[in-house]
Amino acid sequence: MQTDHGLHVVRIALIGAGRIGTMHAGNIARRVPGAELKTVADPRLDAAQQVAEKYYATATANVDDAFKDPDIDAVVVTSIAAAHAELIEKAADAGKAVFCEKPASLTLPEIDRAIEVTRRAGVPFQVGFNRRFAKDFAAARQAVAEGAIGTPQLMRSVTRDPGLPGGMVHARNIKPWTIFRETLIHDFDTLLWLNAGAEPIEVYTRADTLVAPQYKDDGLIDTAVVMIAFDNGAIATAEANFSSLYGYDVRGEVFGSKGMVTAGRHASSPMLHYNEHGIQQQTLRSDEEMFADAYVQEVSDFTEAVRNNGTPPVTGEDARRALRVALAAMKSHEEHRPVAPSEIG
């Protein structure tokens, strides 16, 4: 039995060699104790090889190679979102544990099948909601759970992706509904997680194409605010925008009857530069900067679940709850009315 730091080694295949996949590859190979990056699979063989060569892994253009390999214990899915559900099912059918980047699927029938297949196969299935593993967000959640802020009344979650002064470079390539199912999905999960035990009862959306209005007729939505009413009385807002010129901006807030907790930060360093223009501070520019440790922790927890055949900290059911809110937000935008998640399924 191969061990690392006294841990049984979990041998992992990475499916998808894009930006997030490349980041996960480095973490698996170098920062997650007891994990080995064995294979990198991507239909673009050159991309797979480029990542695999850095970490002495095998590269393949055929993702089925990873599922057929008896030496692979688990797969980490970082492909395009539309392929996630199918890859989860294939991995589970092959007896592999699955970590899948968000969203785990784009529809409720897909996520329901993924949950059922992984349950039937008896393999751990975790979804990559990284904010849960950031120390400030986790501390905020613990404070709320312990009653430190009393009864939650107002909640807020913000995602503003970094932008460029010249505008969005790849706006034409952003698929319709991306802002809800791939961006705000993080915020929906965060709000559900921070307000543990409460259920959303109404969702209302206002959204538009304000950053790149020339692509509105193509279905682009680049700015959105979603209000969520919970059955414990809390009222939450989730907002997103695709062009924050000052950097990557992700924050969470819970205000209650006894106080408030906040999480998230702008600055990449506490250093302040004072000059003739005023006071300046360097800001975070990507999720990889803000959530570097969280990305490591989520995969570390996943590998521990694989070793012990335990329940991962973020499940398929968690992913379903967030997707249900996202689909309600989309329906609200289409029909210009509040939507109850019960209408979605």
Side-chain angles (χ1 to χ4, degrees), residues 46-67:
D46 58 336
Q49 289 172 331
Q50 187 173 359
V51 175
E53 287 170 2
K54 291 181 182 178
Y55 307 113
Y56 307 101
T58 300
T60 179
N62 185 355
V63 297
D64 288 336
D65 290 346
F67 302 138

